[in-house]
Amino acid sequence: QVRLFAPNFASNTWRRLPILKAEWRKKYCLQTPLWRHLVMRRPRETTTRVALANTSRFFFDKRMRICGSNIQNYLLEKSRVVVLGPGERNYHIFYQLLRGGSDDLKRNLMLGDLDDYHYINQSETGVDGMDDVEEWRTLMKSFETLEFTKKEQNDVLRITAGVLHMGNIAFKSTGDRKCGVKQRSNLSPAAKLFEVDERQLEKVVTTRMLRLRGQDPIEVGLSVEEATAARDALSKFIYEHMFDWLVKRINKSIG
């Protein structure tokens, strides 16, 4: 049997439901930090806001004991990856990676300090009552409990760091409606972390293909403003697809 409802992680009601396997309860409980870190932020109005709408389907056996579940997501506020209002903070994972990650990890991801990254230095970086270092430890424990492989964990962190580096790519005008990357030192880390060619990444954010019926595609340059918008659109696209993969991966663990 299947029951469908939106989970309220602040409530203990679901914890009192009969559950077939204690291990499932542990995994379901420890999936929460993943959502808290990857899809929650601090807005002006409240301490924490979920920038995601989702429901969970719970599966019951013949004795009405929970034997599995499935998360369905249908909204991620991806615009928050690139734009912050006054008093807002981006998704927690960015800050906790920079504050809680080891020196070796940050060196491998080519990361610096919080103030170095455009996507998170536009506004406040702290939340009252939240210890980013401790939350980072909880996140790592969640990965292990949900049986993420080391490669899967590294891929999530690599892409997260890559998005941070993407926000630092700035542009300079090179002619009428044309631009190029201002500092290649900001382009290179993003390309390496996304495992793509540096020149191809630059081309993606500084040009577009114009397609006319009956003609071959024409490469058209972008202005500085258009390239900045293309950079942000790509960052949102990458973060959203990482999130969609995480939903599928967590479902594999708790299903």
Side-chain angles (χ1 to χ4, degrees):
Q1 300 185 44
V2 178
R3 300 275 178 92
L4 180 65
F5 61 90
N8 177 6
F9 296 121
S11 170
N12 285 324
T13 302
W14 70 274
R15 295 175 185 270
R16 295 194 293 269
L17 293 172
I19 294 175
L20 183 59
K21 295 181 179 180
E23 183 63 21
W24 180 90
R25 184 197 297 269
K26 182 179 179 181
K27 287 182 178 180
Y28 192 87
C29 182
L30 280 174
Q31 64 153 323
T32 310
L34 285 176
W35 305 133
R36 185 168 70 242
H37 293 72
L38 286 153
V39 299
M40 295 182 80
R41 61 188 180 83
R42 178 188 177 184
R44 286 169 293 179
E45 300 84 2
T46 58
T47 298
T48 304
R49 173 180 174 181
V50 180
L52 159 79
N54 75 82
T55 57
S56 288
R57 292 189 303 174
F58 288 84
F59 302 95
F60 297 79
D61 65 7
K62 293 181 179 180
R63 296 175 60 185
M64 293 306 293
R65 296 177 299 181
I66 294 176
C67 57
S69 69
N70 181 272
I71 300 168
Q72 296 176 309
N73 69 296
Y74 52 88
L75 174 64
L76 173 69
E77 208 173 347
K78 57 186 179 183
S79 63
R80 299 299 177 182
V81 174
V82 302
V83 179
L84 301 177
E88 289 184 334
R89 161 165 143 146
N90 209 316
Y91 295 120
H92 297 322
I93 181 65
F94 295 122
Y95 309 90
Q96 290 158 4
L97 170 59
L98 289 167
R99 286 188 169 127
S102 68
D103 291 340
D104 285 343
L105 175 62
K106 289 187 285 187
R107 189 181 304 111
N108 291 335
L109 298 177
M110 295 164 279
L111 291 172
D113 299 323
L114 283 167
D115 292 338
D116 295 338
Y117 300 99
H118 173 67
Y119 283 159
I120 60 175
N121 67 12
Q122 304 171 45
S123 189
E124 298 180 29
T125 62
V127 174
D128 292 341
M130 176 177 286
D131 184 337
D132 284 328
V133 175
E134 185 60 36
E135 292 291 337
W136 169 261
R137 296 192 187 103
T138 302
L139 175 63
M140 293 298 100
K141 182 180 179 182
S142 297
F143 277 134
E144 293 176 2
T145 301
L146 291 167
E147 299 175 347
F148 277 64
T149 66
K150 286 296 183 181
K151 183 181 184 305
E152 288 172 333
Q153 295 179 43
N154 290 335
D155 285 346
V156 170
L157 301 178
R158 175 173 56 80
I159 292 171
T160 300
V163 169
L164 282 176
H165 287 294
M166 278 287 292
N168 283 359
I169 299 174
F171 306 93
K172 60 182 178 182
S173 178
T174 58
D176 185 26
R177 200 181 169 81
K178 292 182 180 180
C179 73
V181 171
K182 185 180 293 186
Q183 291 182 309
R184 304 197 70 82
S185 59
N186 291 328
L187 177 70
S188 180
K192 288 179 181 177
L193 291 170
F194 292 148
E195 299 180 350
V196 298
D197 181 76
E198 190 174 317
R199 292 185 180 85
Q200 283 297 109
L201 180 58
E202 180 179 17
K203 183 177 180 179
V204 165
V205 294
T206 57
T207 65
R208 67 184 178 90
M209 298 305 294
L210 180 63
R211 291 177 171 82
L212 301 175
R213 184 176 297 177
Q215 298 183 26
D216 292 334
I218 303 171
E219 186 176 292
V220 178
L222 300 179
S223 66
V224 170
E225 292 76 15
E226 290 169 334
T228 300
R231 175 203 68 189
D232 290 346
L234 182 57
S235 296
K236 292 186 289 185
F237 176 84
I238 292 170
Y239 196 86
E240 179 183 35
H241 277 259
M242 179 184 71
F243 173 73
D244 289 341
W245 175 84
L246 275 168
V247 172
K248 294 176 183 178
R249 180 60 183 82
I250 291 173
N251 280 335
K252 181 180 176 181
S253 288
I254 66 174

